[in-house]
Amino acid sequence: MDRTGRGTGRRAGPGAGTDRAGRGSAVRLVVLASACGAFFGFSISSMNQSISRVGVEMSLSSLHQGLVVSALIVGAVTGCVVAGLLTDRLGRHRVLVVSGVLGAAACMLCAVAPDEALLITGRFLNGVAVGATSAVAPVLLAELAPARSRGSVITTYQLVLTVGVLAALVLGVFWGPGDQWRLMFVANAVPALVQAVAAACVPQAPGDLLAAGRPKDALAVLRATRDEAEAEVEYERLLAVRDLPSVGVLRSLADHGTRLPVAIALGAALMNALVGIGAVVYYSTLVFAAAGVGGSSGARIASMSIGVVNVAVSVAALWLVRRYGRRPLLAAGLAGMAGALCAAAWSLLGGDGGSVAGYVTVAAVLLYVGCFAFSAGPVAWVLMAEVLPQEAGARVAGTALALNWSANLLVALLFPVIVGTPGVPARVGLVFLFFAVLCLVFLCLLRRFVPETKDRSLAEVQEELLQRTMARARRHGLRAGSSQ
């Protein structure tokens, strides 16, 4: 008899196979979350350093360079809408497989594109794949992950997204300015292919299996990914909504039973964009230059320090989201972002463009990015995935992400127009104050309407939201009766 137990005749306990299956399922989910996040993050930053070189090589005007960059965002909005429709037919994990394959093909098209037309086409198709991934991945991960690790799995998605952004920025320093800019798209195809393979290796979502008339398989997936008690509760919840028709956003908002969770999901997606992260990430060089931090040092700070802070705090968010829950993190993050934006605005409005104003602005912007990275960044997607009802999940998630991308596009287009190029410090400061007010508005909405979802099954979350809706309806009914 040896130490490994070979030849001893021992048999594993009845729960050993289930434990191994659960660990294997958890690993596959983390790999899928990482691949989706890397594909998303690398895609949105892949042209940050190389667009100038592409413009020279293809003789593009500033307007046409903007078309090349924004084609991805337009495609992402399209992908979010299409994903909601495809999910009803293909299921969530198959949509991720298709979007991974499409993304890889689109990246390779960009890598070999000889002219502007094919490059824009490839960027648009890449955006469609990214939009579909961003709409489906958080919801699928939430449905397959148990309550105890659901927040961490989805936060892993956000963490690796920030790593993808930083990786694209770093590689862009070496490949972007020179003739090797096409290698950026080849590198972008790698996480897309990993996403397709990883999505094919995870089980179908239990809700999709029930919709396909396979209740035994749905229950088997639930038992393989969580403990028996939680699996039974989730199965009963899915059975209760199995025969409900898939509904869109307007019908969901009109229904008293789904109005609150759908409104929270839409609000979370808008919050992620409207707190101003796009203005800071896309135009950090312009902001720092307006504060008096110019030249090559300002460009390095804009590209690298923000990415490093984003990744570092996102790593901490993996622990924070398990320890403190959703509401406390969002409250602290929104308050911190509002304070940081006010500090940056004070520096820009009252400063003289000297070194002190520059240091204060840089410190405030980095604090803002750090607060975003542990709150509105990851928690928005965790919250959206946890509150959406099954019958509205796919279409509402697609619409929510389309709103998010549209809001990001709006910020990206309007910010340089409002603050000017080069940026006028006073204008940048006023825009930051506007974003600070929005942070406080979302903080008030959070405290009034959003429940805590940490360590709770999706069924428990849906039950509390329904009870809140009914209680609010009763209060309105009493007020109406007393006024008559």
Side-chain angles (χ1 to χ4, degrees), residues 12 39 70 74 83 94 127 132 158 165 168 172 194-195 226 229 236 240 258 265 371 380 393 396 423 457:
F39 174 48
S70 60
V74 176
R94 289 196 184 97
Q158 174 68 22
V165 170
V194 176
Q195 173 185 311
R226 62 204 76 203
E236 292 298 324
T258 57
C371 290
V396 173
S457 70

Side-chain angles (χ1 to χ4, degrees), residues 115-180:
D115 54 34
E116 177 190 0
L118 277 180
L119 183 58
I120 289 178
T121 300
R123 289 279 292 173
F124 174 80
L125 293 175
N126 189 11
V128 171
V130 169
T133 295
S134 66
V136 173
V139 180
L140 176 64
L141 294 170
E143 192 168 340
L144 290 177
R148 66 179 181 277
S149 61
R150 189 171 57 235
S152 296
V153 169
I154 301 177
T155 303
T156 298
Y157 165 77
Q158 174 68 22
L159 166 62
V160 183
L161 191 158
T162 64
V163 173
V165 170
L166 182 59
L169 292 173
V170 172
L171 289 176
V173 171
F174 301 100
W175 291 343
D179 297 331
Q180 298 84 16

Side-chain angles (χ1 to χ4, degrees), residues 160-220:
V160 183
L161 191 158
T162 64
V163 173
V165 170
L166 182 59
L169 292 173
V170 172
L171 289 176
V173 171
F174 301 100
W175 291 343
D179 297 331
Q180 298 84 16
W181 62 268
R182 295 177 186 274
L183 293 176
M184 292 293 293
F185 294 110
V186 176
N188 199 5
V190 174
L193 286 176
V194 176
Q195 173 185 311
V197 174
C201 293
V202 301
Q204 288 182 255
D208 294 335
L209 290 169
L210 275 178
R214 298 164 58 188
K216 292 183 179 179
D217 292 337
L219 185 57

Side-chain angles (χ1 to χ4, degrees), residues 258-274:
T258 57
R259 179 180 300 161
L260 182 58
V262 169
I264 291 174
L266 296 176
L270 285 173
M271 173 190 67
N272 178 269
L274 292 182

